[in-house]
Amino acid sequence: MVVLSPPALDHCSLIKTCKPTTSVFTEIPVIDISDPEAKNLIVKACEEFGFFKLINHGVRMDLAALLESEALRFFNLPQSEKDRAGPPDPFGYGNKRIGPNGDVGWVEYLLLNTNPEVTSQKTLSVFQENPEIFRSTVRDYISAVKNITFEILELIADGLKIEQTNVLSKLLRDEKSDSCFRINHYPPCPELQALSGRNLIGFGEHTDPQIMSVLRSNDTSGLQICLRDGTWVSVAPDQNSFFINVGDALQVMTNGRFKSVRHRVLADNMKSRVSMIYFGGPPLSEKIAPLECLLAKEEESLYKEFTWSEYKKSAYKSRLADYRLGLFERT
Ligand code: GA4
């Protein structure tokens, strides 16, 4: 990995690059939600990879395509207009800077509240022509993705043989759930390819702090996950499926049985990538701890007690690539 040096690409001199990887990992679990075995397959995938692809989910993907085109209309506006919808503090438009602690990537994005009624005027002001179309498309898409997430979490509880099958989903169903929604745009960077044959890091390696994240992207590659042995592998894009990530909070709630997946995104040299992610988080006051019913006799929690609010605060003080759960492990 090298850091670009000016003047070649002055505007992105802090953004890291890496050699393009051509091989695609073919062993990512693909789960059909209507398969009677889905609950067991999902549990297995969450244990092995913290990641899987969901097919046959029943969400209308024309909704995703519509939202993608609305988002692209926004990302194609002049920079000065987009900047009026920023900074993302915590919601709004962001460009290259990720989070508050100096992380940067070859990406621009919109971070939105999952309750579109409170999408700020600052964010909407940029959709001058018809902010209502954007607002209602976001609302419908988020509502569909939330429902599929509830279903997955209920299958997980069932697969883990937990009697109360809504034990996880209720945290996201709660009207105080602290969830958010992100639309990322990774513009292509042909100058760089010409210069070095390398890829820009679009979104640096990290784990998601929440319970579960649900991603849909267009047909441009870029997403990579880190396997348990530390190897990075590329995930083939599929615009009709969802990619599901286990987040840090679910790792804790399963006492480490599920692993929160480390992932990153490389920008493509030729094609623009758009991804939309729903991050399902619990209410701020929720205590995050291993579910009692999952602890075997004498098994102790690997983690100290904390609330989602405490974890979130700590996460937002960290750098993107940090192992955030380290501070909360019992020694
Ligand atoms: C990763 C998951 C979500 O995209 C996000 C990110 C957030 C941000 O972009 O502001 C964080 C990152 C994410 C984890 C650590 C902190 C916070 C950037 C960062 C360095 C919106 C989230 O909730 O956590």
Side-chain angles (χ1 to χ4, degrees):
M1 209 168 276
V2 296
V3 173
L4 291 169
S5 55
L9 284 165
D10 224 1
H11 52 300
C12 55
S13 58
L14 291 169
I15 296 170
K16 293 177 181 148
T17 67
C18 67
K19 275 198 199 127
T21 24
T22 41
S23 66
V24 163
F25 188 65
T26 50
E27 280 148 66
I28 284 168
V30 179
I31 296 166
D32 177 338
I33 201 159
S34 65
D35 180 339
E37 272 302 298
K39 60 181 186 186
N40 300 322
L41 296 172
I42 293 177
V43 166
K44 189 164 176 269
C46 292
E47 289 174 344
E48 251 174 68
F49 298 97
F51 184 83
F52 62 94
K53 167 167 149 170
L54 190 75
I55 59 168
N56 215 358
H57 45 68
V59 174
R60 282 179 36 209
M61 285 320 236
D62 56 327
L63 215 58
L66 181 62
L67 183 54
E68 183 188 322
S69 67
E70 281 291 304
L72 274 173
R73 228 156 47 85
F74 169 80
F75 290 125
N76 287 330
L77 289 172
Q79 191 61 49
S80 58
E81 280 190 49
K82 290 187 281 190
D83 285 339
R84 284 181 21 225
D89 57 355
F91 300 117
Y93 170 75
N95 181 16
K96 296 195 185 76
R97 287 175 220 283
I98 299 170
N101 305 313
D103 291 289
V104 285
W106 189 250
V107 63
E108 58 177 343
Y109 57 89
L110 278 168
L111 256 175
L112 304 171
N113 193 300
T114 41
N115 178 357
E117 310 315 321
V118 301
T119 301
S120 70
Q121 281 315 312
K122 174 185 84 181
T123 310
L124 284 174
S125 66
V126 187
F127 293 85
Q128 293 138 335
E129 285 164 40
N130 199 341
E132 260 326 299
I133 294 190
F134 180 72
R135 201 206 290 265
S136 67
T137 316
V138 170
R139 186 200 302 119
D140 295 348
Y141 180 77
I142 292 180
S143 150
V145 173
K146 267 187 185 173
N147 285 327
I148 203 77
T149 315
F150 303 158
E151 218 179 300
I152 298 168
L153 290 173
E154 281 154 25
L155 283 169
I156 288 180
D158 198 9
L160 288 171
K161 305 198 170 50
I162 300 175
E163 236 170 83
Q164 192 196 343
T165 48
N166 71 348
V167 67
L168 298 165
S169 63
K170 70 174 188 205
L171 304 177
L172 306 193
R173 286 184 190 272
D174 193 308
E175 57 175 30
K176 293 210 188 82
S177 117
D178 181 43
S179 300
C180 62
F181 183 64
R182 168 171 216 137
I183 309 181
N184 287 325
H185 176 224
Y186 302 92
C189 188
E191 306 109 286
L192 181 76
Q193 188 191 31
L195 221 65
S196 65
R198 296 175 74 88
N199 274 122
L200 280 172
I201 304 277
F203 209 110
E205 63 172 272
H206 67 286
T207 60
D208 294 340
Q210 291 81 358
I211 294 178
M212 177 164 277
S213 324
V214 180
L215 174 146
R216 183 267 179 190
S217 77
N218 66 352
D219 257 336
T220 303
S221 58
L223 179 61
Q224 298 193 321
I225 62 165
C226 188
L227 303 180
R228 279 185 166 224
D229 67 1
T231 358
W232 284 97
V233 295
S234 298
V235 178
D238 177 352
Q239 58 186 352
N240 295 313
S241 302
F242 288 112
F243 291 96
I244 317 295
N245 283 5
V246 169
D248 299 343
L250 189 53
Q251 173 169 329
V252 174
M253 295 176 88
T254 57
N255 207 26
R257 184 163 159 188
F258 288 5
K259 285 278 174 289
S260 153
V261 63
R262 195 159 267 273
H263 56 289
R264 66 183 183 191
V265 177
L266 310 184
D268 194 275
N269 291 318
M270 305 308 286
K271 279 167 72 190
S272 117
R273 175 179 161 97
V274 179
S275 60
M276 323 197 257
I277 312 111
Y278 161 72
F279 299 97
L284 287 170
S285 59
E286 190 70 32
K287 199 177 99 187
I288 307 299
L291 297 168
E292 290 276 344
C293 52
L294 289 185
L295 291 179
K297 232 187 181 173
E298 317 266 303
E299 182 182 343
E300 293 203 5
S301 169
L302 298 174
Y303 307 95
K304 299 173 195 159
E305 274 200 9
F306 58 89
T307 62
W308 169 243
S309 161
E310 287 164 335
Y311 190 62
K312 190 176 168 187
K313 239 182 249 151
S314 157
Y316 276 75
K317 282 193 198 136
S318 67
R319 294 296 299 262
L320 194 57
D322 287 352
Y323 175 58
R324 279 175 274 284
L325 280 176
L327 287 173
F328 296 85
E329 280 171 355
R330 281 212 172 126
T331 40

